[in-house]
Amino acid sequence: MKRPPPDLLPGTLDMIVLRVLASGRRHGYGIAQRVREISDDVLQVGESSLYPALQRLLLDDYVRAEWGPSENNRRARFYTLTPAGRKHLGAERAEFDRLIGAIQRVLQEA
């Protein structure tokens, strides 16, 4: 019996999107596919959460967007990481690692 995908921790979606974009330009569907692929189908990002996250990241100047043809020659919006986004990703990743370390210590010691 297949389990439903787990919910992402609050605040992690933006960090995950930024990390995927750190490896290069992608359109929204490509971002979602890459997250599924890397996580071995554990994490699945739906359109209803991905596109608002991308909009937030655009407004914060962490990503840039431009229109272009997709692999199947359809018009798609491609996103790239900005220097501010790369810096923000580093800070978010450090804080996330600190949080995960604390949770692991509690689980080991409690």
Side-chain angles (χ1 to χ4, degrees), residues 71-82:
E71 303 80 35
N72 57 5
N73 215 23
R74 296 180 73 180
R75 188 170 181 240
R77 197 168 188 195
F78 286 85
Y79 300 89
T80 54
L81 192 61
T82 65

Side-chain angles (χ1 to χ4, degrees), residues 37-103:
E37 187 179 290
I38 293 169
S39 71
D40 293 328
D41 290 324
V42 173
L43 303 177
Q44 298 179 21
V45 181
E47 289 181 20
S48 62
S49 53
L50 176 61
Y51 289 102
L54 286 167
Q55 191 60 37
R56 273 192 311 276
L57 295 169
L58 277 166
L59 292 173
D60 290 337
D61 196 36
Y62 296 147
V63 299
R64 190 172 315 129
E66 62 185 14
W67 291 97
S70 67
E71 303 80 35
N72 57 5
N73 215 23
R74 296 180 73 180
R75 188 170 181 240
R77 197 168 188 195
F78 286 85
Y79 300 89
T80 54
L81 192 61
T82 65
R86 192 169 301 280
K87 183 177 179 180
H88 181 70
L89 173 59
E92 288 294 307
R93 179 73 186 266
E95 182 59 24
F96 183 77
D97 289 344
R98 189 175 78 82
L99 175 64
I100 293 300
I103 291 170

